[in-house]
């Protein structure tokens, strides 16, 4: 099993409140989301039919899949409505010196 480490993903100023940003971290496409006064990081992959989530709507603590409309809790990755039944992957985030770091 590979050990997880925090990897610098973006500058905090590049993800202002209400915005999201797609970054690649260790070869994984990750969406950084600034909502509810913090940064969340989730994998850019819907658990339903494995489409990307980057064009989905993001609101207070959730992101929706643009393909069939499932919404996911950004903190836990849990699906909030059908058709998704499985969680999406989430990553721990920390902010150090104005940089967003993601644990992958
Ligand atoms: S691919 Fe995301 S809800 Fe179907």
């Amino acid at each position: 099993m590979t050990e997880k480490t925090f990897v610098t993903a973006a500058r905090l100023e590049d993800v202002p409140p209400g915005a999201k940003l797609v970054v690649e971290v260790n070869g994984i496409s990750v969406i950084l989301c600034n909502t509810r006064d913090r940064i969340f990081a989730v994998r850019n992959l819907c658990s339903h039919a494995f489409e990307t989530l980057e064009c989905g709507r993001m609101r207070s603590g959730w992101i929706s899949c643009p393909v069939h409309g499932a919404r996911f809790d950004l903190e836990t990755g849990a699906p909030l409505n059908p058709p998704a039944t499985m969680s999406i992957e989430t990553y721990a985030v920390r902010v150090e010196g104005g940089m967003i770091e993601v644990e992958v």
Side-chain angles (χ1 to χ4, degrees), residues 4-76:
K4 290 184 168 188
T5 53
F6 278 94
V7 177
T8 301
R11 294 183 306 176
L12 182 57
E13 66 191 49
D14 289 338
V15 195
K20 52 184 163 50
L21 180 71
V22 178
V23 293
E24 192 164 307
V25 185
N26 283 1
I28 299 169
S29 183
V30 172
I31 309 178
L32 304 174
C33 300
N34 189 335
T35 176
R36 284 203 315 221
D37 298 325
R38 55 173 278 206
I39 304 287
F40 297 88
V42 299
R43 189 163 187 179
N44 186 15
L45 190 68
C46 183
S47 64
H48 175 237
F50 307 109
E51 302 284 349
T52 59
L53 291 169
E54 64 195 68
C55 294
R57 282 197 316 145
M58 180 192 71
R59 289 292 183 274
S60 183
W62 55 262
I63 190 166
S64 67
C65 177
V67 182
H68 306 114
R71 288 179 308 137
F72 298 93
D73 183 305
L74 286 168
E75 176 137 36
T76 65

